[in-house]
mmCIF file of all heavy atoms in Angstrom:
data_model
loop_
_atom_site.group_PDB
_atom_site.id
_atom_site.type_symbol
_atom_site.label_atom_id
_atom_site.label_comp_id
_atom_site.label_asym_id
_atom_site.label_seq_id
_atom_site.Cartn_x
_atom_site.Cartn_y
_atom_site.Cartn_z
ATOM 1 N N ARG A 191 9.500 123.154 -65.981
ATOM 2 C CA ARG A 191 10.711 123.541 -65.226
ATOM 3 C C ARG A 191 11.426 124.728 -65.875
ATOM 4 O O ARG A 191 11.899 125.630 -65.192
ATOM 5 C CB ARG A 191 11.654 122.352 -65.081
ATOM 6 C CG ARG A 191 11.222 121.354 -64.016
ATOM 7 C CD ARG A 191 12.317 120.349 -63.694
ATOM 8 N NE ARG A 191 12.626 119.475 -64.810
ATOM 9 C CZ ARG A 191 11.991 118.333 -65.081
ATOM 10 N NH1 ARG A 191 11.010 117.914 -64.306
ATOM 11 N NH2 ARG A 191 12.342 117.607 -66.116
ATOM 12 N N ALA A 192 11.484 124.738 -67.188
ATOM 13 C CA ALA A 192 12.126 125.854 -67.896
ATOM 14 C C ALA A 192 11.376 127.158 -67.641
ATOM 15 O O ALA A 192 11.983 128.204 -67.397
ATOM 16 C CB ALA A 192 12.193 125.559 -69.398
ATOM 17 N N HIS A 193 10.048 127.099 -67.672
ATOM 18 C CA HIS A 193 9.246 128.301 -67.400
ATOM 19 C C HIS A 193 9.434 128.761 -65.958
ATOM 20 O O HIS A 193 9.511 129.959 -65.688
ATOM 21 C CB HIS A 193 7.764 128.052 -67.698
ATOM 22 C CG HIS A 193 7.438 128.101 -69.154
ATOM 23 N ND1 HIS A 193 7.341 129.273 -69.849
ATOM 24 C CD2 HIS A 193 7.224 127.115 -70.058
ATOM 25 C CE1 HIS A 193 7.068 129.021 -71.113
ATOM 26 N NE2 HIS A 193 6.998 127.705 -71.262
ATOM 27 N N LEU A 194 9.491 127.824 -65.028
ATOM 28 C CA LEU A 194 9.705 128.194 -63.622
ATOM 29 C C LEU A 194 11.069 128.851 -63.435
ATOM 30 O O LEU A 194 11.196 129.820 -62.691
ATOM 31 C CB LEU A 194 9.570 126.968 -62.716
ATOM 32 C CG LEU A 194 8.151 126.435 -62.546
ATOM 33 C CD1 LEU A 194 8.163 125.116 -61.786
ATOM 34 C CD2 LEU A 194 7.276 127.453 -61.845
ATOM 35 N N ARG A 195 12.100 128.328 -64.097
ATOM 36 C CA ARG A 195 13.431 128.949 -63.998
ATOM 37 C C ARG A 195 13.395 130.386 -64.501
ATOM 38 O O ARG A 195 13.950 131.285 -63.885
ATOM 39 C CB ARG A 195 14.447 128.149 -64.812
ATOM 40 C CG ARG A 195 15.023 126.961 -64.112
ATOM 41 C CD ARG A 195 16.264 126.432 -64.839
ATOM 42 N NE ARG A 195 16.058 126.189 -66.257
ATOM 43 C CZ ARG A 195 15.559 125.058 -66.772
ATOM 44 N NH1 ARG A 195 15.202 124.077 -65.991
ATOM 45 N NH2 ARG A 195 15.424 124.924 -68.076
ATOM 46 N N ARG A 196 12.744 130.602 -65.627
ATOM 47 C CA ARG A 196 12.670 131.951 -66.195
ATOM 48 C C ARG A 196 11.819 132.876 -65.332
ATOM 49 O O ARG A 196 12.117 134.049 -65.187
ATOM 50 C CB ARG A 196 12.107 131.900 -67.619
ATOM 51 C CG ARG A 196 13.094 131.357 -68.618
ATOM 52 C CD ARG A 196 12.633 131.598 -70.039
ATOM 53 N NE ARG A 196 11.367 130.971 -70.360
ATOM 54 C CZ ARG A 196 11.218 129.739 -70.837
ATOM 55 N NH1 ARG A 196 12.271 128.981 -71.031
ATOM 56 N NH2 ARG A 196 10.024 129.267 -71.122
ATOM 57 N N SER A 197 10.761 132.346 -64.741
ATOM 58 C CA SER A 197 9.857 133.212 -63.972
ATOM 59 C C SER A 197 10.439 133.627 -62.640
ATOM 60 O O SER A 197 10.033 134.624 -62.071
ATOM 61 C CB SER A 197 8.512 132.531 -63.749
ATOM 62 O OG SER A 197 8.638 131.457 -62.852
ATOM 63 N N THR A 198 11.415 132.902 -62.101
ATOM 64 C CA THR A 198 12.004 133.279 -60.816
ATOM 65 C C THR A 198 13.147 134.268 -60.976
ATOM 66 O O THR A 198 13.667 134.754 -59.977
ATOM 67 C CB THR A 198 12.505 132.045 -60.041
ATOM 68 O OG1 THR A 198 13.455 131.351 -60.838
ATOM 69 C CG2 THR A 198 11.367 131.131 -59.657
ATOM 70 N N ASN A 199 13.523 134.606 -62.207
ATOM 71 C CA ASN A 199 14.616 135.563 -62.407
ATOM 72 C C ASN A 199 14.317 136.925 -61.810
ATOM 73 O O ASN A 199 15.203 137.592 -61.306
ATOM 74 C CB ASN A 199 14.944 135.709 -63.898
ATOM 75 C CG ASN A 199 15.692 134.508 -64.424
ATOM 76 O OD1 ASN A 199 16.237 133.727 -63.665
ATOM 77 N ND2 ASN A 199 15.707 134.351 -65.734
ATOM 78 N N GLY A 200 13.071 137.372 -61.836
ATOM 79 C CA GLY A 200 12.723 138.690 -61.322
ATOM 80 C C GLY A 200 12.293 138.688 -59.867
ATOM 81 O O GLY A 200 11.963 139.726 -59.323
ATOM 82 N N VAL A 201 12.295 137.526 -59.231
ATOM 83 C CA VAL A 201 11.850 137.432 -57.851
ATOM 84 C C VAL A 201 12.919 138.001 -56.926
ATOM 85 O O VAL A 201 14.094 137.671 -57.040
ATOM 86 C CB VAL A 201 11.540 135.959 -57.474
ATOM 87 C CG1 VAL A 201 11.220 135.825 -56.003
ATOM 88 C CG2 VAL A 201 10.405 135.431 -58.320
ATOM 89 N N ARG A 202 12.491 138.867 -56.056
ATOM 90 C CA ARG A 202 13.407 139.493 -55.117
ATOM 91 C C ARG A 202 13.759 138.493 -54.018
ATOM 92 O O ARG A 202 12.889 137.857 -53.445
ATOM 93 C CB ARG A 202 12.732 140.717 -54.524
ATOM 94 C CG ARG A 202 13.664 141.615 -53.776
ATOM 95 C CD ARG A 202 12.954 142.904 -53.423
ATOM 96 N NE ARG A 202 13.554 143.384 -52.197
ATOM 97 C CZ ARG A 202 12.921 143.965 -51.224
ATOM 98 N NH1 ARG A 202 11.637 144.168 -51.317
ATOM 99 N NH2 ARG A 202 13.541 144.371 -50.153
ATOM 100 N N THR A 203 15.045 138.344 -53.745
ATOM 101 C CA THR A 203 15.474 137.435 -52.696
ATOM 102 C C THR A 203 16.143 138.234 -51.589
ATOM 103 O O THR A 203 16.499 139.390 -51.758
ATOM 104 C CB THR A 203 16.464 136.381 -53.228
ATOM 105 O OG1 THR A 203 17.596 137.043 -53.771
ATOM 106 C CG2 THR A 203 15.819 135.503 -54.277
ATOM 107 N N LEU A 204 16.323 137.578 -50.485
ATOM 108 C CA LEU A 204 16.900 138.233 -49.326
ATOM 109 C C LEU A 204 17.861 137.267 -48.659
ATOM 110 O O LEU A 204 17.463 136.169 -48.282
ATOM 111 C CB LEU A 204 15.776 138.634 -48.366
ATOM 112 C CG LEU A 204 16.150 139.407 -47.116
ATOM 113 C CD1 LEU A 204 16.729 140.776 -47.481
ATOM 114 C CD2 LEU A 204 14.915 139.595 -46.251
ATOM 115 N N GLU A 205 19.132 137.646 -48.569
ATOM 116 C CA GLU A 205 20.122 136.781 -47.940
ATOM 117 C C GLU A 205 20.438 137.233 -46.523
ATOM 118 O O GLU A 205 20.589 136.414 -45.637
ATOM 119 C CB GLU A 205 21.398 136.735 -48.768
ATOM 120 C CG GLU A 205 21.212 135.995 -50.076
ATOM 121 C CD GLU A 205 22.493 135.877 -50.866
ATOM 122 O OE1 GLU A 205 23.584 136.179 -50.319
ATOM 123 O OE2 GLU A 205 22.404 135.487 -52.033
ATOM 124 N N ARG A 206 20.568 138.543 -46.329
ATOM 125 C CA ARG A 206 20.904 139.086 -45.014
ATOM 126 C C ARG A 206 20.094 140.344 -44.756
ATOM 127 O O ARG A 206 19.717 141.041 -45.683
ATOM 128 C CB ARG A 206 22.384 139.459 -44.943
ATOM 129 C CG ARG A 206 23.307 138.285 -45.006
ATOM 130 C CD ARG A 206 24.753 138.771 -45.069
ATOM 131 N NE ARG A 206 25.628 137.639 -45.180
ATOM 132 C CZ ARG A 206 26.345 137.165 -44.181
ATOM 133 N NH1 ARG A 206 26.324 137.748 -43.013
ATOM 134 N NH2 ARG A 206 27.131 136.118 -44.354
ATOM 135 N N CYS A 207 19.892 140.616 -43.469
ATOM 136 C CA CYS A 207 19.183 141.828 -43.094
ATOM 137 C C CYS A 207 19.630 142.239 -41.697
ATOM 138 O O CYS A 207 19.908 141.393 -40.845
ATOM 139 C CB CYS A 207 17.681 141.587 -43.114
ATOM 140 S SG CYS A 207 16.729 143.072 -42.714
ATOM 141 N N ARG A 208 19.680 143.536 -41.493
ATOM 142 C CA ARG A 208 20.017 144.070 -40.182
ATOM 143 C C ARG A 208 19.042 145.185 -39.853
ATOM 144 O O ARG A 208 18.782 146.059 -40.679
ATOM 145 C CB ARG A 208 21.447 144.604 -40.199
ATOM 146 C CG ARG A 208 21.898 145.074 -38.858
ATOM 147 C CD ARG A 208 23.315 145.616 -38.925
ATOM 148 N NE ARG A 208 23.715 145.887 -37.573
ATOM 149 C CZ ARG A 208 24.877 145.605 -37.065
ATOM 150 N NH1 ARG A 208 25.803 145.064 -37.823
ATOM 151 N NH2 ARG A 208 25.154 145.883 -35.820
ATOM 152 N N PHE A 209 18.483 145.140 -38.650
ATOM 153 C CA PHE A 209 17.597 146.191 -38.167
ATOM 154 C C PHE A 209 17.748 146.240 -36.656
ATOM 155 O O PHE A 209 17.889 145.219 -35.994
ATOM 156 C CB PHE A 209 16.142 145.953 -38.582
ATOM 157 C CG PHE A 209 15.581 144.636 -38.145
ATOM 158 C CD1 PHE A 209 14.917 144.516 -36.920
ATOM 159 C CD2 PHE A 209 15.711 143.508 -38.940
ATOM 160 C CE1 PHE A 209 14.399 143.306 -36.511
ATOM 161 C CE2 PHE A 209 15.194 142.289 -38.530
ATOM 162 C CZ PHE A 209 14.541 142.184 -37.313
ATOM 163 N N GLY A 210 17.741 147.460 -36.120
ATOM 164 C CA GLY A 210 17.956 147.610 -34.682
ATOM 165 C C GLY A 210 19.223 146.878 -34.283
ATOM 166 O O GLY A 210 20.262 147.031 -34.919
ATOM 167 N N ASP A 211 19.133 146.032 -33.264
ATOM 168 C CA ASP A 211 20.304 145.253 -32.839
ATOM 169 C C ASP A 211 20.200 143.797 -33.302
ATOM 170 O O ASP A 211 20.854 142.910 -32.765
ATOM 171 C CB ASP A 211 20.471 145.324 -31.316
ATOM 172 C CG ASP A 211 19.284 144.767 -30.547
ATOM 173 O OD1 ASP A 211 18.255 144.439 -31.186
ATOM 174 O OD2 ASP A 211 19.372 144.649 -29.316
ATOM 175 N N VAL A 212 19.387 143.559 -34.347
ATOM 176 C CA VAL A 212 19.165 142.211 -34.872
ATOM 177 C C VAL A 212 19.856 142.061 -36.223
ATOM 178 O O VAL A 212 19.772 142.935 -37.076
ATOM 179 C CB VAL A 212 17.650 141.914 -35.025
ATOM 180 C CG1 VAL A 212 17.419 140.545 -35.643
ATOM 181 C CG2 VAL A 212 16.944 142.028 -33.690
ATOM 182 N N GLU A 213 20.557 140.930 -36.374
ATOM 183 C CA GLU A 213 21.177 140.577 -37.647
ATOM 184 C C GLU A 213 20.644 139.213 -38.056
ATOM 185 O O GLU A 213 20.637 138.279 -37.257
ATOM 186 C CB GLU A 213 22.694 140.480 -37.508
ATOM 187 C CG GLU A 213 23.371 141.795 -37.175
ATOM 188 C CD GLU A 213 24.871 141.610 -36.976
ATOM 189 O OE1 GLU A 213 25.506 140.980 -37.847
ATOM 190 O OE2 GLU A 213 25.369 142.084 -35.950
ATOM 191 N N LEU A 214 20.187 139.104 -39.314
ATOM 192 C CA LEU A 214 19.632 137.859 -39.822
ATOM 193 C C LEU A 214 20.415 137.396 -41.042
ATOM 194 O O LEU A 214 20.731 138.203 -41.919
ATOM 195 C CB LEU A 214 18.164 138.047 -40.221
ATOM 196 C CG LEU A 214 17.208 138.529 -39.137
ATOM 197 C CD1 LEU A 214 15.870 138.899 -39.747
ATOM 198 C CD2 LEU A 214 17.052 137.474 -38.068
ATOM 199 N N ASP A 215 20.715 136.116 -41.082
ATOM 200 C CA ASP A 215 21.337 135.501 -42.252
ATOM 201 C C ASP A 215 20.364 134.426 -42.726
ATOM 202 O O ASP A 215 20.261 133.359 -42.119
ATOM 203 C CB ASP A 215 22.683 134.891 -41.883
ATOM 204 C CG ASP A 215 23.420 134.304 -43.082
ATOM 205 O OD1 ASP A 215 22.756 133.920 -44.067
ATOM 206 O OD2 ASP A 215 24.660 134.232 -43.034
ATOM 207 N N PHE A 216 19.617 134.726 -43.781
ATOM 208 C CA PHE A 216 18.580 133.825 -44.256
ATOM 209 C C PHE A 216 19.148 132.616 -44.984
ATOM 210 O O PHE A 216 18.485 131.591 -45.080
ATOM 211 C CB PHE A 216 17.592 134.571 -45.165
ATOM 212 C CG PHE A 216 16.755 135.558 -44.407
ATOM 213 C CD1 PHE A 216 17.070 136.910 -44.417
ATOM 214 C CD2 PHE A 216 15.666 135.142 -43.675
ATOM 215 C CE1 PHE A 216 16.303 137.823 -43.712
ATOM 216 C CE2 PHE A 216 14.891 136.047 -42.958
ATOM 217 C CZ PHE A 216 15.213 137.390 -42.983
ATOM 218 N N LYS A 217 20.362 132.731 -45.498
ATOM 219 C CA LYS A 217 20.990 131.601 -46.172
ATOM 220 C C LYS A 217 21.404 130.523 -45.174
ATOM 221 O O LYS A 217 21.241 129.343 -45.426
ATOM 222 C CB LYS A 217 22.217 132.071 -46.943
ATOM 223 C CG LYS A 217 22.016 132.188 -48.420
ATOM 224 C CD LYS A 217 23.304 132.523 -49.082
ATOM 225 C CE LYS A 217 23.396 131.758 -50.372
ATOM 226 N NZ LYS A 217 24.526 132.154 -51.168
ATOM 227 N N LYS A 218 21.947 130.964 -44.041
ATOM 228 C CA LYS A 218 22.440 130.018 -43.032
ATOM 229 C C LYS A 218 21.462 129.815 -41.887
ATOM 230 O O LYS A 218 21.748 129.057 -40.965
ATOM 231 C CB LYS A 218 23.773 130.512 -42.473
ATOM 232 C CG LYS A 218 24.864 130.571 -43.514
ATOM 233 C CD LYS A 218 26.150 131.103 -42.927
ATOM 234 C CE LYS A 218 27.220 131.190 -44.004
ATOM 235 N NZ LYS A 218 28.444 131.796 -43.483
ATOM 236 N N TYR A 219 20.334 130.500 -41.935
ATOM 237 C CA TYR A 219 19.332 130.446 -40.865
ATOM 238 C C TYR A 219 19.987 130.727 -39.513
ATOM 239 O O TYR A 219 19.823 129.983 -38.552
ATOM 240 C CB TYR A 219 18.598 129.091 -40.850
ATOM 241 C CG TYR A 219 17.565 128.994 -41.939
ATOM 242 C CD1 TYR A 219 17.914 128.607 -43.223
ATOM 243 C CD2 TYR A 219 16.241 129.300 -41.683
ATOM 244 C CE1 TYR A 219 16.964 128.527 -44.232
ATOM 245 C CE2 TYR A 219 15.276 129.222 -42.679
ATOM 246 C CZ TYR A 219 15.655 128.844 -43.952
ATOM 247 O OH TYR A 219 14.712 128.772 -44.944
ATOM 248 N N ARG A 220 20.690 131.856 -39.463
ATOM 249 C CA ARG A 220 21.320 132.304 -38.226
ATOM 250 C C ARG A 220 20.786 133.681 -37.874
ATOM 251 O O ARG A 220 20.613 134.534 -38.735
ATOM 252 C CB ARG A 220 22.836 132.372 -38.376
ATOM 253 C CG ARG A 220 23.455 131.009 -38.508
ATOM 254 C CD ARG A 220 24.955 131.083 -38.422
ATOM 255 N NE ARG A 220 25.507 129.755 -38.628
ATOM 256 C CZ ARG A 220 26.655 129.518 -39.204
ATOM 257 N NH1 ARG A 220 27.402 130.528 -39.615
ATOM 258 N NH2 ARG A 220 27.085 128.298 -39.361
ATOM 259 N N ALA A 221 20.577 133.884 -36.575
ATOM 260 C CA ALA A 221 20.079 135.171 -36.093
ATOM 261 C C ALA A 221 20.859 135.566 -34.852
ATOM 262 O O ALA A 221 21.199 134.728 -34.022
ATOM 263 C CB ALA A 221 18.589 135.075 -35.768
ATOM 264 N N VAL A 222 21.133 136.878 -34.755
ATOM 265 C CA VAL A 222 21.872 137.417 -33.617
ATOM 266 C C VAL A 222 21.160 138.681 -33.170
ATOM 267 O O VAL A 222 20.728 139.487 -33.988
ATOM 268 C CB VAL A 222 23.333 137.741 -34.017
ATOM 269 C CG1 VAL A 222 24.080 138.399 -32.880
ATOM 270 C CG2 VAL A 222 24.049 136.501 -34.503
ATOM 271 N N ARG A 223 21.040 138.833 -31.857
ATOM 272 C CA ARG A 223 20.469 140.056 -31.285
ATOM 273 C C ARG A 223 21.407 140.543 -30.210
ATOM 274 O O ARG A 223 21.739 139.807 -29.285
ATOM 275 C CB ARG A 223 19.087 139.798 -30.707
ATOM 276 C CG ARG A 223 18.480 141.058 -30.128
ATOM 277 C CD ARG A 223 17.006 140.864 -29.820
ATOM 278 N NE ARG A 223 16.575 142.014 -29.074
ATOM 279 C CZ ARG A 223 16.092 141.961 -27.835
ATOM 280 N NH1 ARG A 223 15.930 140.817 -27.237
ATOM 281 N NH2 ARG A 223 15.751 143.064 -27.226
ATOM 282 N N ALA A 224 21.861 141.772 -30.366
ATOM 283 C CA ALA A 224 22.799 142.390 -29.418
ATOM 284 C C ALA A 224 24.027 141.501 -29.232
ATOM 285 O O ALA A 224 24.510 141.327 -28.114
ATOM 286 C CB ALA A 224 22.107 142.674 -28.095
ATOM 287 N N GLY A 225 24.502 140.917 -30.338
ATOM 288 C CA GLY A 225 25.706 140.095 -30.278
ATOM 289 C C GLY A 225 25.499 138.676 -29.792
ATOM 290 O O GLY A 225 26.431 137.884 -29.791
ATOM 291 N N ARG A 226 24.290 138.330 -29.389
ATOM 292 C CA ARG A 226 24.006 136.972 -28.889
ATOM 293 C C ARG A 226 23.130 136.221 -29.882
ATOM 294 O O ARG A 226 22.157 136.780 -30.398
ATOM 295 C CB ARG A 226 23.289 137.043 -27.546
ATOM 296 C CG ARG A 226 24.149 137.598 -26.449
ATOM 297 C CD ARG A 226 23.472 137.347 -25.115
ATOM 298 N NE ARG A 226 24.376 137.717 -24.046
ATOM 299 C CZ ARG A 226 24.068 138.552 -23.083
ATOM 300 N NH1 ARG A 226 22.865 139.105 -23.033
ATOM 301 N NH2 ARG A 226 24.940 138.827 -22.133
ATOM 302 N N PRO A 227 23.433 134.950 -30.109
ATOM 303 C CA PRO A 227 22.600 134.157 -31.021
ATOM 304 C C PRO A 227 21.163 134.027 -30.499
ATOM 305 O O PRO A 227 20.941 133.926 -29.299
ATOM 306 C CB PRO A 227 23.270 132.781 -31.036
ATOM 307 C CG PRO A 227 24.596 132.959 -30.398
ATOM 308 C CD PRO A 227 24.539 134.179 -29.553
ATOM 309 N N ILE A 228 20.216 134.079 -31.421
ATOM 310 C CA ILE A 228 18.819 133.840 -31.057
ATOM 311 C C ILE A 228 18.379 132.580 -31.801
ATOM 312 O O ILE A 228 18.754 132.368 -32.941
ATOM 313 C CB ILE A 228 17.843 134.963 -31.465
ATOM 314 C CG1 ILE A 228 18.473 136.176 -32.059
ATOM 315 C CG2 ILE A 228 16.889 135.304 -30.411
ATOM 316 C CD1 ILE A 228 17.466 137.192 -32.567
ATOM 317 N N ASP A 229 17.565 131.793 -31.133
ATOM 318 C CA ASP A 229 17.074 130.554 -31.709
ATOM 319 C C ASP A 229 15.746 130.817 -32.413
ATOM 320 O O ASP A 229 14.705 130.937 -31.762
ATOM 321 C CB ASP A 229 16.901 129.499 -30.607
ATOM 322 C CG ASP A 229 16.512 128.149 -31.165
ATOM 323 O OD1 ASP A 229 16.852 127.860 -32.331
ATOM 324 O OD2 ASP A 229 15.857 127.384 -30.439
ATOM 325 N N LEU A 230 15.805 130.943 -33.735
ATOM 326 C CA LEU A 230 14.595 131.137 -34.539
ATOM 327 C C LEU A 230 14.330 129.858 -35.323
ATOM 328 O O LEU A 230 15.250 129.259 -35.871
ATOM 329 C CB LEU A 230 14.749 132.298 -35.519
ATOM 330 C CG LEU A 230 14.929 133.701 -34.959
ATOM 331 C CD1 LEU A 230 15.066 134.703 -36.103
ATOM 332 C CD2 LEU A 230 13.771 134.084 -34.063
ATOM 333 N N SER A 231 13.063 129.467 -35.390
ATOM 334 C CA SER A 231 12.691 128.302 -36.185
ATOM 335 C C SER A 231 12.722 128.679 -37.668
ATOM 336 O O SER A 231 12.644 129.869 -38.018
ATOM 337 C CB SER A 231 11.289 127.836 -35.795
ATOM 338 O OG SER A 231 10.328 128.768 -36.251
ATOM 339 N N PRO A 232 12.812 127.688 -38.551
ATOM 340 C CA PRO A 232 12.742 127.991 -39.986
ATOM 341 C C PRO A 232 11.474 128.775 -40.347
ATOM 342 O O PRO A 232 11.504 129.684 -41.169
ATOM 343 C CB PRO A 232 12.752 126.610 -40.642
ATOM 344 C CG PRO A 232 13.492 125.747 -39.677
ATOM 345 C CD PRO A 232 13.091 126.264 -38.310
ATOM 346 N N ARG A 233 10.365 128.452 -39.710
ATOM 347 C CA ARG A 233 9.114 129.165 -39.986
ATOM 348 C C ARG A 233 9.223 130.625 -39.566
ATOM 349 O O ARG A 233 8.748 131.523 -40.253
ATOM 350 C CB ARG A 233 7.960 128.470 -39.254
ATOM 351 C CG ARG A 233 6.659 129.169 -39.405
ATOM 352 C CD ARG A 233 5.601 128.564 -40.284
ATOM 353 N NE ARG A 233 5.923 127.454 -41.098
ATOM 354 C CZ ARG A 233 5.201 126.351 -41.209
ATOM 355 N NH1 ARG A 233 4.107 126.208 -40.529
ATOM 356 N NH2 ARG A 233 5.554 125.395 -42.012
ATOM 357 N N GLU A 234 9.857 130.892 -38.426
ATOM 358 C CA GLU A 234 10.039 132.277 -37.972
ATOM 359 C C GLU A 234 10.932 133.050 -38.938
ATOM 360 O O GLU A 234 10.673 134.222 -39.223
ATOM 361 C CB GLU A 234 10.610 132.287 -36.554
ATOM 362 C CG GLU A 234 9.608 131.834 -35.520
ATOM 363 C CD GLU A 234 10.196 131.589 -34.140
ATOM 364 O OE1 GLU A 234 11.382 131.207 -34.037
ATOM 365 O OE2 GLU A 234 9.462 131.774 -33.152
ATOM 366 N N PHE A 235 11.956 132.384 -39.478
ATOM 367 C CA PHE A 235 12.786 133.030 -40.502
ATOM 368 C C PHE A 235 11.938 133.382 -41.723
ATOM 369 O O PHE A 235 12.062 134.468 -42.294
ATOM 370 C CB PHE A 235 13.949 132.122 -40.927
ATOM 371 C CG PHE A 235 15.188 132.289 -40.115
ATOM 372 C CD1 PHE A 235 15.492 131.388 -39.113
ATOM 373 C CD2 PHE A 235 16.064 133.339 -40.345
ATOM 374 C CE1 PHE A 235 16.641 131.525 -38.352
ATOM 375 C CE2 PHE A 235 17.221 133.491 -39.598
ATOM 376 C CZ PHE A 235 17.501 132.582 -38.594
ATOM 377 N N GLU A 236 11.085 132.473 -42.145
ATOM 378 C CA GLU A 236 10.257 132.711 -43.325
ATOM 379 C C GLU A 236 9.240 133.829 -43.083
ATOM 380 O O GLU A 236 8.964 134.620 -43.980
ATOM 381 C CB GLU A 236 9.563 131.425 -43.772
ATOM 382 C CG GLU A 236 10.530 130.350 -44.267
ATOM 383 C CD GLU A 236 11.445 130.827 -45.387
ATOM 384 O OE1 GLU A 236 10.958 131.475 -46.333
ATOM 385 O OE2 GLU A 236 12.655 130.546 -45.319
ATOM 386 N N ILE A 237 8.692 133.900 -41.883
ATOM 387 C CA ILE A 237 7.778 135.003 -41.546
ATOM 388 C C ILE A 237 8.521 136.324 -41.635
ATOM 389 O O ILE A 237 8.047 137.283 -42.251
ATOM 390 C CB ILE A 237 7.175 134.813 -40.137
ATOM 391 C CG1 ILE A 237 6.215 133.631 -40.109
ATOM 392 C CG2 ILE A 237 6.448 136.089 -39.689
ATOM 393 C CD1 ILE A 237 5.793 133.205 -38.715
ATOM 394 N N LEU A 238 9.703 136.374 -41.023
ATOM 395 C CA LEU A 238 10.504 137.610 -41.073
ATOM 396 C C LEU A 238 10.862 137.978 -42.498
ATOM 397 O O LEU A 238 10.768 139.136 -42.897
ATOM 398 C CB LEU A 238 11.766 137.464 -40.226
ATOM 399 C CG LEU A 238 11.587 137.660 -38.741
ATOM 400 C CD1 LEU A 238 12.845 137.244 -37.981
ATOM 401 C CD2 LEU A 238 11.249 139.109 -38.429
#
């Protein structure tokens, strides 16, 4: 566990992203396109 904690320090994470008219919040698993919520599955969030 100690080695895993140390090894994840350099891992790049992503909390939010915006592209085109899409906004993604990976922490809250929320997605919006053109101001309207989109229903993305957890797997679709992980793919993105």
